[in-house]
Amino acid sequence: TRTILDTVKKSEDGTELVLRFYEFGNRRDSVRVSLPETLQSVKECNLMEVDDRPVEFHENTFSFELKPYEIRTFKIK
């Protein structure tokens, strides 16, 4: 895989965990994220952590695709 988990932090409002990923190998990539606890929600947002869009998840896992050099940010609860 050519995907890096670049950021793990609390959201600006302090209620969610922010995960930011980027692809660095000039390829498309499929990413599957598994966390140790069951998720309540997963939302994709922009770099400013606004414009939330719901993301499908199952228990403690969600998946997404990355285009070459793309950056994607998710807020997890």
Short mmCIF file of all heavy atoms in Angstrom, two decimals, residues 6-73:
data_model
loop_
_atom_site.label_atom_id
_atom_site.label_comp_id
_atom_site.label_asym_id
_atom_site.label_seq_id
_atom_site.Cartn_x
_atom_site.Cartn_y
_atom_site.Cartn_z
N ASP A 6 -1.56 10.17 8.21
CA ASP A 6 -0.75 11.36 8.48
C ASP A 6 -1.12 12.03 9.80
O ASP A 6 -0.26 12.57 10.48
CB ASP A 6 -0.95 12.35 7.33
CG ASP A 6 -0.20 13.64 7.53
OD1 ASP A 6 1.03 13.59 7.65
OD2 ASP A 6 -0.86 14.70 7.58
N THR A 7 -2.40 12.02 10.15
CA THR A 7 -2.86 12.77 11.33
C THR A 7 -3.81 11.92 12.17
O THR A 7 -4.72 11.30 11.62
CB THR A 7 -3.60 14.05 10.88
OG1 THR A 7 -2.72 14.82 10.07
CG2 THR A 7 -4.07 14.87 12.07
N VAL A 8 -3.59 11.94 13.46
CA VAL A 8 -4.53 11.39 14.44
C VAL A 8 -4.62 12.43 15.55
O VAL A 8 -3.62 12.74 16.20
CB VAL A 8 -4.04 10.05 15.03
CG1 VAL A 8 -5.00 9.53 16.09
CG2 VAL A 8 -3.82 9.01 13.94
N LYS A 9 -5.81 13.02 15.72
CA LYS A 9 -5.97 14.08 16.71
C LYS A 9 -7.43 14.23 17.07
O LYS A 9 -8.30 13.68 16.42
CB LYS A 9 -5.43 15.40 16.17
CG LYS A 9 -6.25 15.99 15.03
CD LYS A 9 -5.70 17.33 14.60
CE LYS A 9 -6.69 18.08 13.74
NZ LYS A 9 -7.50 19.02 14.47
N LYS A 10 -7.69 15.00 18.11
CA LYS A 10 -9.06 15.37 18.45
C LYS A 10 -9.54 16.40 17.45
O LYS A 10 -8.76 17.24 16.99
CB LYS A 10 -9.14 15.96 19.85
CG LYS A 10 -9.19 14.95 20.93
CD LYS A 10 -9.47 15.63 22.25
CE LYS A 10 -9.59 14.62 23.36
NZ LYS A 10 -9.89 15.24 24.64
N SER A 11 -10.83 16.37 17.14
CA SER A 11 -11.41 17.38 16.25
C SER A 11 -11.32 18.75 16.90
O SER A 11 -11.14 18.87 18.12
CB SER A 11 -12.86 17.03 15.92
OG SER A 11 -13.64 17.01 17.09
N GLU A 12 -11.45 19.79 16.07
CA GLU A 12 -11.36 21.16 16.60
C GLU A 12 -12.38 21.42 17.70
O GLU A 12 -12.12 22.18 18.62
CB GLU A 12 -11.52 22.17 15.46
CG GLU A 12 -10.35 22.20 14.50
CD GLU A 12 -9.02 22.54 15.15
OE1 GLU A 12 -8.98 23.45 15.99
OE2 GLU A 12 -8.02 21.88 14.81
N ASP A 13 -13.57 20.80 17.61
CA ASP A 13 -14.57 20.99 18.67
C ASP A 13 -14.39 19.98 19.81
O ASP A 13 -15.12 20.02 20.79
CB ASP A 13 -15.99 20.95 18.10
CG ASP A 13 -16.39 19.59 17.56
OD1 ASP A 13 -15.64 18.59 17.77
OD2 ASP A 13 -17.45 19.50 16.93
N GLY A 14 -13.43 19.08 19.68
CA GLY A 14 -13.07 18.17 20.77
C GLY A 14 -13.98 16.98 20.98
O GLY A 14 -13.82 16.25 21.95
N THR A 15 -14.94 16.73 20.09
CA THR A 15 -15.89 15.65 20.32
C THR A 15 -15.60 14.39 19.51
O THR A 15 -16.18 13.34 19.78
CB THR A 15 -17.33 16.10 19.98
OG1 THR A 15 -17.38 16.45 18.59
CG2 THR A 15 -17.74 17.28 20.84
N GLU A 16 -14.71 14.48 18.51
CA GLU A 16 -14.44 13.33 17.65
C GLU A 16 -12.94 13.16 17.44
O GLU A 16 -12.15 14.05 17.70
CB GLU A 16 -15.14 13.53 16.29
CG GLU A 16 -16.64 13.57 16.43
CD GLU A 16 -17.33 14.18 15.24
OE1 GLU A 16 -17.03 15.34 14.92
OE2 GLU A 16 -18.17 13.50 14.65
N LEU A 17 -12.58 12.00 16.93
CA LEU A 17 -11.21 11.69 16.56
C LEU A 17 -11.07 11.96 15.07
O LEU A 17 -11.91 11.55 14.28
CB LEU A 17 -10.91 10.21 16.86
CG LEU A 17 -9.53 9.70 16.49
CD1 LEU A 17 -8.47 10.35 17.38
CD2 LEU A 17 -9.49 8.19 16.63
N VAL A 18 -10.02 12.67 14.67
CA VAL A 18 -9.76 12.98 13.26
C VAL A 18 -8.63 12.08 12.76
O VAL A 18 -7.57 11.99 13.39
CB VAL A 18 -9.39 14.46 13.07
CG1 VAL A 18 -8.94 14.74 11.65
CG2 VAL A 18 -10.55 15.34 13.46
N LEU A 19 -8.88 11.42 11.63
CA LEU A 19 -7.87 10.61 10.94
C LEU A 19 -7.70 11.19 9.54
O LEU A 19 -8.68 11.34 8.82
CB LEU A 19 -8.30 9.15 10.83
CG LEU A 19 -8.64 8.42 12.12
CD1 LEU A 19 -9.10 7.00 11.81
CD2 LEU A 19 -7.44 8.39 13.05
N ARG A 20 -6.46 11.49 9.15
CA ARG A 20 -6.20 12.04 7.82
C ARG A 20 -5.21 11.12 7.11
O ARG A 20 -4.16 10.78 7.65
CB ARG A 20 -5.64 13.46 7.92
CG ARG A 20 -5.42 14.11 6.58
CD ARG A 20 -5.17 15.61 6.71
NE ARG A 20 -6.36 16.27 7.23
CZ ARG A 20 -6.38 17.07 8.29
NH1 ARG A 20 -5.27 17.34 8.95
NH2 ARG A 20 -7.51 17.61 8.70
N PHE A 21 -5.57 10.72 5.90
CA PHE A 21 -4.76 9.80 5.10
C PHE A 21 -4.34 10.48 3.81
O PHE A 21 -5.07 11.32 3.29
CB PHE A 21 -5.60 8.57 4.72
CG PHE A 21 -6.09 7.78 5.87
CD1 PHE A 21 -7.27 8.12 6.53
CD2 PHE A 21 -5.40 6.66 6.32
CE1 PHE A 21 -7.75 7.38 7.59
CE2 PHE A 21 -5.87 5.91 7.39
CZ PHE A 21 -7.04 6.27 8.02
N TYR A 22 -3.19 10.07 3.26
CA TYR A 22 -2.84 10.50 1.91
C TYR A 22 -2.11 9.39 1.17
O TYR A 22 -1.47 8.54 1.77
CB TYR A 22 -2.05 11.81 1.91
CG TYR A 22 -0.62 11.71 2.39
CD1 TYR A 22 0.43 11.44 1.51
CD2 TYR A 22 -0.31 11.94 3.72
CE1 TYR A 22 1.74 11.37 1.95
CE2 TYR A 22 0.99 11.88 4.17
CZ TYR A 22 2.01 11.60 3.28
OH TYR A 22 3.30 11.53 3.72
N GLU A 23 -2.24 9.43 -0.14
CA GLU A 23 -1.60 8.46 -1.03
C GLU A 23 -0.36 9.13 -1.62
O GLU A 23 -0.44 10.24 -2.10
CB GLU A 23 -2.58 8.06 -2.15
CG GLU A 23 -2.18 6.84 -2.95
CD GLU A 23 -1.01 7.07 -3.90
OE1 GLU A 23 -0.84 8.18 -4.41
OE2 GLU A 23 -0.26 6.11 -4.10
N PHE A 24 0.81 8.44 -1.56
CA PHE A 24 2.04 9.08 -2.00
C PHE A 24 2.73 8.38 -3.16
O PHE A 24 3.78 8.83 -3.61
CB PHE A 24 3.02 9.20 -0.82
CG PHE A 24 3.61 7.89 -0.39
CD1 PHE A 24 4.81 7.45 -0.89
CD2 PHE A 24 2.95 7.10 0.54
CE1 PHE A 24 5.34 6.23 -0.48
CE2 PHE A 24 3.47 5.90 0.96
CZ PHE A 24 4.68 5.46 0.44
N GLY A 25 2.17 7.30 -3.68
CA GLY A 25 2.86 6.52 -4.71
C GLY A 25 2.34 6.70 -6.12
O GLY A 25 2.68 5.91 -7.00
N ASN A 26 1.51 7.71 -6.35
CA ASN A 26 0.92 7.97 -7.67
C ASN A 26 0.12 6.76 -8.17
O ASN A 26 0.18 6.39 -9.32
CB ASN A 26 1.99 8.37 -8.69
CG ASN A 26 1.39 8.96 -9.94
OD1 ASN A 26 0.26 9.46 -9.94
ND2 ASN A 26 2.12 8.89 -11.03
N ARG A 27 -0.64 6.16 -7.25
CA ARG A 27 -1.51 5.03 -7.60
C ARG A 27 -2.84 5.15 -6.87
O ARG A 27 -2.95 5.84 -5.88
CB ARG A 27 -0.89 3.72 -7.14
CG ARG A 27 0.42 3.43 -7.77
CD ARG A 27 0.87 2.26 -7.20
NE ARG A 27 1.71 1.30 -7.21
CZ ARG A 27 1.84 0.19 -6.46
NH1 ARG A 27 1.20 -0.15 -5.65
NH2 ARG A 27 2.63 -0.69 -6.48
N ARG A 28 -3.79 4.40 -7.35
CA ARG A 28 -5.06 4.27 -6.61
C ARG A 28 -4.83 3.25 -5.49
O ARG A 28 -4.04 2.33 -5.64
CB ARG A 28 -6.17 3.77 -7.54
CG ARG A 28 -6.55 4.80 -8.56
CD ARG A 28 -7.77 4.36 -9.37
NE ARG A 28 -8.21 5.43 -10.22
CZ ARG A 28 -9.05 6.39 -9.87
NH1 ARG A 28 -9.57 6.39 -8.68
NH2 ARG A 28 -9.38 7.34 -10.71
N ASP A 29 -5.55 3.42 -4.41
CA ASP A 29 -5.38 2.50 -3.29
C ASP A 29 -6.72 2.28 -2.59
O ASP A 29 -7.54 3.19 -2.50
CB ASP A 29 -4.38 3.08 -2.29
CG ASP A 29 -3.70 2.04 -1.43
OD1 ASP A 29 -3.98 0.84 -1.60
OD2 ASP A 29 -2.87 2.43 -0.59
N SER A 30 -6.94 1.07 -2.13
CA SER A 30 -8.10 0.73 -1.31
C SER A 30 -7.62 0.64 0.13
O SER A 30 -6.62 -0.03 0.42
CB SER A 30 -8.67 -0.62 -1.73
OG SER A 30 -9.14 -0.54 -3.04
N VAL A 31 -8.34 1.30 1.02
CA VAL A 31 -7.94 1.36 2.42
C VAL A 31 -9.07 0.82 3.29
O VAL A 31 -10.23 1.18 3.10
CB VAL A 31 -7.61 2.81 2.84
CG1 VAL A 31 -7.21 2.87 4.30
CG2 VAL A 31 -6.53 3.39 1.94
N ARG A 32 -8.72 -0.01 4.24
CA ARG A 32 -9.68 -0.53 5.22
C ARG A 32 -9.15 -0.17 6.59
O ARG A 32 -8.02 -0.52 6.94
CB ARG A 32 -9.82 -2.04 5.09
CG ARG A 32 -10.83 -2.59 6.04
CD ARG A 32 -11.08 -4.06 5.77
NE ARG A 32 -12.10 -4.52 6.68
CZ ARG A 32 -12.07 -5.67 7.29
NH1 ARG A 32 -11.10 -6.53 7.07
NH2 ARG A 32 -13.03 -6.01 8.11
N VAL A 33 -9.95 0.55 7.36
CA VAL A 33 -9.56 1.01 8.69
C VAL A 33 -10.33 0.20 9.72
O VAL A 33 -11.56 0.15 9.68
CB VAL A 33 -9.85 2.51 8.86
CG1 VAL A 33 -9.47 2.97 10.26
CG2 VAL A 33 -9.14 3.32 7.79
N SER A 34 -9.61 -0.42 10.64
CA SER A 34 -10.23 -1.16 11.75
C SER A 34 -9.74 -0.56 13.06
O SER A 34 -8.53 -0.42 13.27
CB SER A 34 -9.84 -2.64 11.69
OG SER A 34 -10.38 -3.24 10.55
N LEU A 35 -10.67 -0.22 13.92
CA LEU A 35 -10.35 0.37 15.22
C LEU A 35 -10.72 -0.62 16.32
O LEU A 35 -11.54 -1.51 16.11
CB LEU A 35 -11.09 1.69 15.37
CG LEU A 35 -10.68 2.73 14.32
CD1 LEU A 35 -11.66 3.87 14.27
CD2 LEU A 35 -9.29 3.24 14.62
N PRO A 36 -10.14 -0.46 17.51
CA PRO A 36 -10.36 -1.45 18.57
C PRO A 36 -11.76 -1.43 19.20
O PRO A 36 -12.13 -2.39 19.86
CB PRO A 36 -9.30 -1.11 19.61
CG PRO A 36 -8.89 0.29 19.33
CD PRO A 36 -9.15 0.53 17.87
N GLU A 37 -12.52 -0.36 18.98
CA GLU A 37 -13.86 -0.28 19.58
C GLU A 37 -14.92 -0.07 18.51
O GLU A 37 -14.63 0.42 17.43
CB GLU A 37 -13.91 0.87 20.59
CG GLU A 37 -12.99 0.65 21.77
CD GLU A 37 -13.12 1.73 22.82
OE1 GLU A 37 -14.17 2.40 22.86
OE2 GLU A 37 -12.17 1.90 23.59
N THR A 38 -16.16 -0.40 18.85
CA THR A 38 -17.28 -0.19 17.94
C THR A 38 -17.48 1.31 17.70
O THR A 38 -17.42 2.10 18.63
CB THR A 38 -18.57 -0.80 18.53
OG1 THR A 38 -18.34 -2.20 18.73
CG2 THR A 38 -19.74 -0.62 17.59
N LEU A 39 -17.71 1.66 16.45
CA LEU A 39 -17.87 3.06 16.06
C LEU A 39 -19.32 3.50 16.22
O LEU A 39 -20.23 2.71 16.01
CB LEU A 39 -17.44 3.25 14.61
CG LEU A 39 -16.01 2.82 14.29
CD1 LEU A 39 -15.78 2.83 12.79
CD2 LEU A 39 -15.02 3.71 15.00
N GLN A 40 -19.53 4.76 16.57
CA GLN A 40 -20.86 5.35 16.61
C GLN A 40 -21.17 6.06 15.30
O GLN A 40 -22.30 6.06 14.83
CB GLN A 40 -20.98 6.35 17.75
CG GLN A 40 -20.88 5.72 19.12
CD GLN A 40 -20.94 6.80 20.20
OE1 GLN A 40 -21.41 7.91 19.97
NE2 GLN A 40 -20.44 6.47 21.37
N SER A 41 -20.13 6.70 14.73
CA SER A 41 -20.31 7.39 13.45
C SER A 41 -18.96 7.59 12.78
O SER A 41 -17.93 7.65 13.44
CB SER A 41 -21.00 8.75 13.65
OG SER A 41 -20.13 9.65 14.28
N VAL A 42 -19.02 7.69 11.44
CA VAL A 42 -17.85 8.03 10.63
C VAL A 42 -18.33 9.06 9.62
O VAL A 42 -19.32 8.85 8.94
CB VAL A 42 -17.26 6.80 9.90
CG1 VAL A 42 -16.07 7.21 9.04
CG2 VAL A 42 -16.88 5.70 10.88
N LYS A 43 -17.61 10.19 9.56
CA LYS A 43 -17.97 11.25 8.62
C LYS A 43 -16.70 11.69 7.90
O LYS A 43 -15.64 11.82 8.53
CB LYS A 43 -18.57 12.45 9.35
CG LYS A 43 -19.88 12.12 10.05
CD LYS A 43 -20.41 13.31 10.78
CE LYS A 43 -19.73 13.41 12.13
NZ LYS A 43 -20.29 14.41 13.02
N GLU A 44 -16.82 11.92 6.60
CA GLU A 44 -15.70 12.50 5.87
C GLU A 44 -15.88 14.01 5.87
O GLU A 44 -17.00 14.52 5.80
CB GLU A 44 -15.66 11.99 4.44
CG GLU A 44 -14.43 12.49 3.71
CD GLU A 44 -14.18 11.81 2.39
OE1 GLU A 44 -15.02 11.00 1.96
OE2 GLU A 44 -13.13 12.09 1.80
N CYS A 45 -14.78 14.74 5.98
CA CYS A 45 -14.83 16.19 5.99
C CYS A 45 -13.66 16.73 5.18
O CYS A 45 -12.81 15.98 4.71
CB CYS A 45 -14.78 16.72 7.43
SG CYS A 45 -13.31 16.24 8.34
N ASN A 46 -13.62 18.04 5.03
CA ASN A 46 -12.50 18.64 4.33
C ASN A 46 -11.35 18.91 5.31
O ASN A 46 -11.45 18.58 6.50
CB ASN A 46 -12.94 19.90 3.57
CG ASN A 46 -13.41 21.01 4.48
OD1 ASN A 46 -13.09 21.05 5.66
ND2 ASN A 46 -14.18 21.92 3.93
N LEU A 47 -10.28 19.53 4.83
CA LEU A 47 -9.11 19.77 5.68
C LEU A 47 -9.40 20.73 6.83
O LEU A 47 -8.70 20.72 7.84
CB LEU A 47 -7.95 20.30 4.84
CG LEU A 47 -7.35 19.29 3.87
CD1 LEU A 47 -6.36 19.97 2.93
CD2 LEU A 47 -6.69 18.15 4.60
N MET A 48 -10.44 21.52 6.70
CA MET A 48 -10.83 22.45 7.76
C MET A 48 -11.82 21.80 8.74
O MET A 48 -12.34 22.46 9.64
CB MET A 48 -11.46 23.71 7.16
CG MET A 48 -10.52 24.47 6.24
SD MET A 48 -9.00 25.03 7.03
CE MET A 48 -9.64 26.17 8.20
N GLU A 49 -12.09 20.51 8.55
CA GLU A 49 -12.98 19.71 9.39
C GLU A 49 -14.43 20.18 9.34
O GLU A 49 -15.16 20.12 10.33
CB GLU A 49 -12.47 19.65 10.84
CG GLU A 49 -11.11 19.03 10.94
CD GLU A 49 -10.55 18.99 12.34
OE1 GLU A 49 -11.32 19.06 13.32
OE2 GLU A 49 -9.31 18.89 12.46
N VAL A 50 -14.86 20.66 8.18
CA VAL A 50 -16.26 21.04 7.96
C VAL A 50 -16.79 20.32 6.73
O VAL A 50 -16.06 19.60 6.06
CB VAL A 50 -16.44 22.58 7.82
CG1 VAL A 50 -16.09 23.28 9.12
CG2 VAL A 50 -15.61 23.13 6.69
N ASP A 51 -18.05 20.54 6.41
CA ASP A 51 -18.72 19.88 5.27
C ASP A 51 -18.77 18.37 5.46
O ASP A 51 -18.41 17.60 4.58
CB ASP A 51 -18.05 20.23 3.93
CG ASP A 51 -18.16 21.69 3.59
OD1 ASP A 51 -19.13 22.33 4.05
OD2 ASP A 51 -17.29 22.20 2.87
N ASP A 52 -19.21 17.93 6.64
CA ASP A 52 -19.28 16.50 6.97
C ASP A 52 -20.22 15.75 6.03
O ASP A 52 -21.30 16.23 5.71
CB ASP A 52 -19.79 16.30 8.40
CG ASP A 52 -18.84 16.87 9.43
OD1 ASP A 52 -17.70 17.22 9.08
OD2 ASP A 52 -19.24 16.94 10.60
N ARG A 53 -19.79 14.57 5.62
CA ARG A 53 -20.60 13.65 4.83
C ARG A 53 -20.52 12.28 5.49
O ARG A 53 -19.42 11.79 5.77
CB ARG A 53 -20.08 13.57 3.39
CG ARG A 53 -20.20 14.90 2.65
CD ARG A 53 -19.45 14.93 1.34
NE ARG A 53 -18.05 14.55 1.38
CZ ARG A 53 -17.04 15.34 1.77
NH1 ARG A 53 -17.29 16.56 2.19
NH2 ARG A 53 -15.81 14.93 1.76
N PRO A 54 -21.66 11.62 5.74
CA PRO A 54 -21.63 10.31 6.39
C PRO A 54 -20.89 9.28 5.55
O PRO A 54 -20.96 9.30 4.32
CB PRO A 54 -23.10 9.93 6.54
CG PRO A 54 -23.91 11.06 6.03
CD PRO A 54 -23.00 12.07 5.42
N VAL A 55 -20.21 8.37 6.23
CA VAL A 55 -19.48 7.27 5.59
C VAL A 55 -20.04 5.97 6.16
O VAL A 55 -20.25 5.86 7.37
CB VAL A 55 -17.96 7.37 5.89
CG1 VAL A 55 -17.22 6.15 5.38
CG2 VAL A 55 -17.39 8.65 5.31
N GLU A 56 -20.27 5.02 5.28
CA GLU A 56 -20.76 3.71 5.72
C GLU A 56 -19.69 3.00 6.54
O GLU A 56 -18.51 3.04 6.20
CB GLU A 56 -21.08 2.85 4.49
CG GLU A 56 -22.50 2.37 4.45
CD GLU A 56 -22.74 1.51 3.24
OE1 GLU A 56 -22.46 0.31 3.32
OE2 GLU A 56 -23.21 2.07 2.24
N PHE A 57 -20.12 2.36 7.63
CA PHE A 57 -19.19 1.59 8.45
C PHE A 57 -19.93 0.38 9.01
O PHE A 57 -21.15 0.32 9.01
CB PHE A 57 -18.61 2.45 9.58
CG PHE A 57 -19.61 2.89 10.60
CD1 PHE A 57 -19.80 2.17 11.77
CD2 PHE A 57 -20.38 4.04 10.41
CE1 PHE A 57 -20.73 2.57 12.72
CE2 PHE A 57 -21.30 4.46 11.35
CZ PHE A 57 -21.48 3.73 12.50
N HIS A 58 -19.16 -0.59 9.47
CA HIS A 58 -19.74 -1.78 10.08
C HIS A 58 -18.97 -2.07 11.36
O HIS A 58 -17.76 -2.34 11.32
CB HIS A 58 -19.66 -2.97 9.13
CG HIS A 58 -20.23 -4.22 9.72
ND1 HIS A 58 -21.58 -4.37 9.94
CD2 HIS A 58 -19.64 -5.35 10.14
CE1 HIS A 58 -21.79 -5.57 10.48
NE2 HIS A 58 -20.63 -6.17 10.61
N GLU A 59 -19.65 -1.95 12.49
CA GLU A 59 -19.07 -2.14 13.82
C GLU A 59 -17.84 -1.26 14.03
O GLU A 59 -17.97 -0.10 14.34
CB GLU A 59 -18.79 -3.62 14.08
CG GLU A 59 -20.06 -4.45 14.14
CD GLU A 59 -19.81 -5.90 14.41
OE1 GLU A 59 -18.67 -6.29 14.73
OE2 GLU A 59 -20.78 -6.68 14.31
N ASN A 60 -16.64 -1.80 13.81
CA ASN A 60 -15.42 -1.03 14.07
C ASN A 60 -14.58 -0.79 12.81
O ASN A 60 -13.41 -0.46 12.89
CB ASN A 60 -14.56 -1.72 15.13
CG ASN A 60 -14.00 -3.03 14.64
OD1 ASN A 60 -14.60 -3.71 13.80
ND2 ASN A 60 -12.84 -3.41 15.15
N THR A 61 -15.19 -0.94 11.62
CA THR A 61 -14.44 -0.90 10.37
C THR A 61 -15.12 -0.01 9.33
O THR A 61 -16.34 0.00 9.22
CB THR A 61 -14.31 -2.33 9.79
OG1 THR A 61 -13.71 -3.17 10.78
CG2 THR A 61 -13.47 -2.36 8.54
N PHE A 62 -14.31 0.73 8.57
CA PHE A 62 -14.80 1.43 7.38
C PHE A 62 -13.73 1.37 6.29
O PHE A 62 -12.56 1.14 6.57
CB PHE A 62 -15.22 2.87 7.68
CG PHE A 62 -14.11 3.81 8.01
CD1 PHE A 62 -13.59 4.67 7.05
CD2 PHE A 62 -13.58 3.88 9.29
CE1 PHE A 62 -12.58 5.56 7.35
CE2 PHE A 62 -12.57 4.77 9.61
CZ PHE A 62 -12.07 5.62 8.63
N SER A 63 -14.16 1.53 5.05
CA SER A 63 -13.26 1.43 3.90
C SER A 63 -13.47 2.61 2.96
O SER A 63 -14.54 3.21 2.93
CB SER A 63 -13.54 0.14 3.13
OG SER A 63 -13.34 -0.97 3.95
N PHE A 64 -12.43 2.90 2.18
CA PHE A 64 -12.52 3.97 1.19
C PHE A 64 -11.43 3.77 0.14
O PHE A 64 -10.51 2.99 0.33
CB PHE A 64 -12.42 5.35 1.84
CG PHE A 64 -11.13 5.61 2.57
CD1 PHE A 64 -10.09 6.26 1.94
CD2 PHE A 64 -10.97 5.20 3.89
CE1 PHE A 64 -8.90 6.50 2.61
CE2 PHE A 64 -9.79 5.44 4.57
CZ PHE A 64 -8.75 6.09 3.93
N GLU A 65 -11.57 4.51 -0.96
CA GLU A 65 -10.61 4.48 -2.05
C GLU A 65 -9.86 5.82 -2.07
O GLU A 65 -10.43 6.86 -1.76
CB GLU A 65 -11.32 4.30 -3.39
CG GLU A 65 -12.17 3.04 -3.48
CD GLU A 65 -11.35 1.79 -3.60
OE1 GLU A 65 -10.31 1.83 -4.29
OE2 GLU A 65 -11.73 0.77 -3.00
N LEU A 66 -8.60 5.75 -2.46
CA LEU A 66 -7.80 6.96 -2.62
C LEU A 66 -7.26 7.03 -4.05
O LEU A 66 -6.79 6.03 -4.58
CB LEU A 66 -6.59 6.93 -1.68
CG LEU A 66 -6.77 7.47 -0.28
CD1 LEU A 66 -5.54 7.16 0.57
CD2 LEU A 66 -7.02 8.94 -0.28
N LYS A 67 -7.34 8.20 -4.64
CA LYS A 67 -6.75 8.45 -5.95
C LYS A 67 -5.29 8.85 -5.74
O LYS A 67 -4.88 9.20 -4.63
CB LYS A 67 -7.50 9.58 -6.65
CG LYS A 67 -8.94 9.26 -6.94
CD LYS A 67 -9.65 10.47 -7.50
CE LYS A 67 -11.13 10.20 -7.61
NZ LYS A 67 -11.90 11.42 -7.88
N PRO A 68 -4.49 8.86 -6.81
CA PRO A 68 -3.09 9.28 -6.66
C PRO A 68 -2.96 10.65 -6.01
O PRO A 68 -3.63 11.61 -6.40
CB PRO A 68 -2.58 9.32 -8.11
CG PRO A 68 -3.43 8.30 -8.81
CD PRO A 68 -4.79 8.41 -8.17
N TYR A 69 -2.15 10.71 -4.97
CA TYR A 69 -1.83 11.92 -4.22
C TYR A 69 -3.03 12.57 -3.52
O TYR A 69 -2.94 13.71 -3.08
CB TYR A 69 -1.12 12.95 -5.11
CG TYR A 69 0.14 12.40 -5.72
CD1 TYR A 69 0.24 12.21 -7.08
CD2 TYR A 69 1.22 12.03 -4.92
CE1 TYR A 69 1.39 11.69 -7.66
CE2 TYR A 69 2.37 11.50 -5.47
CZ TYR A 69 2.45 11.33 -6.85
OH TYR A 69 3.58 10.80 -7.40
N GLU A 70 -4.11 11.85 -3.40
CA GLU A 70 -5.30 12.39 -2.76
C GLU A 70 -5.14 12.40 -1.23
O GLU A 70 -4.50 11.52 -0.65
CB GLU A 70 -6.53 11.55 -3.14
CG GLU A 70 -7.82 12.08 -2.58
CD GLU A 70 -9.03 11.28 -3.04
OE1 GLU A 70 -8.91 10.07 -3.29
OE2 GLU A 70 -10.10 11.89 -3.16
N ILE A 71 -5.77 13.38 -0.59
CA ILE A 71 -5.82 13.48 0.87
C ILE A 71 -7.29 13.35 1.27
O ILE A 71 -8.16 13.98 0.70
CB ILE A 71 -5.30 14.86 1.36
CG1 ILE A 71 -3.85 15.04 0.96
CG2 ILE A 71 -5.49 14.98 2.87
CD1 ILE A 71 -3.35 16.46 1.17
N ARG A 72 -7.56 12.49 2.27
CA ARG A 72 -8.93 12.34 2.77
C ARG A 72 -8.92 12.39 4.29
O ARG A 72 -8.04 11.82 4.94
CB ARG A 72 -9.55 11.03 2.28
CG ARG A 72 -9.71 11.11 0.75
CD ARG A 72 -10.47 10.03 0.13
NE ARG A 72 -11.87 10.00 0.51
CZ ARG A 72 -12.68 9.03 0.10
NH1 ARG A 72 -12.25 8.07 -0.69
NH2 ARG A 72 -13.95 9.03 0.46
N THR A 73 -9.92 13.08 4.84
CA THR A 73 -10.01 13.30 6.29
C THR A 73 -11.34 12.76 6.80
O THR A 73 -12.38 12.99 6.19
CB THR A 73 -9.90 14.80 6.60
OG1 THR A 73 -8.68 15.29 6.05
CG2 THR A 73 -9.90 15.05 8.10
#
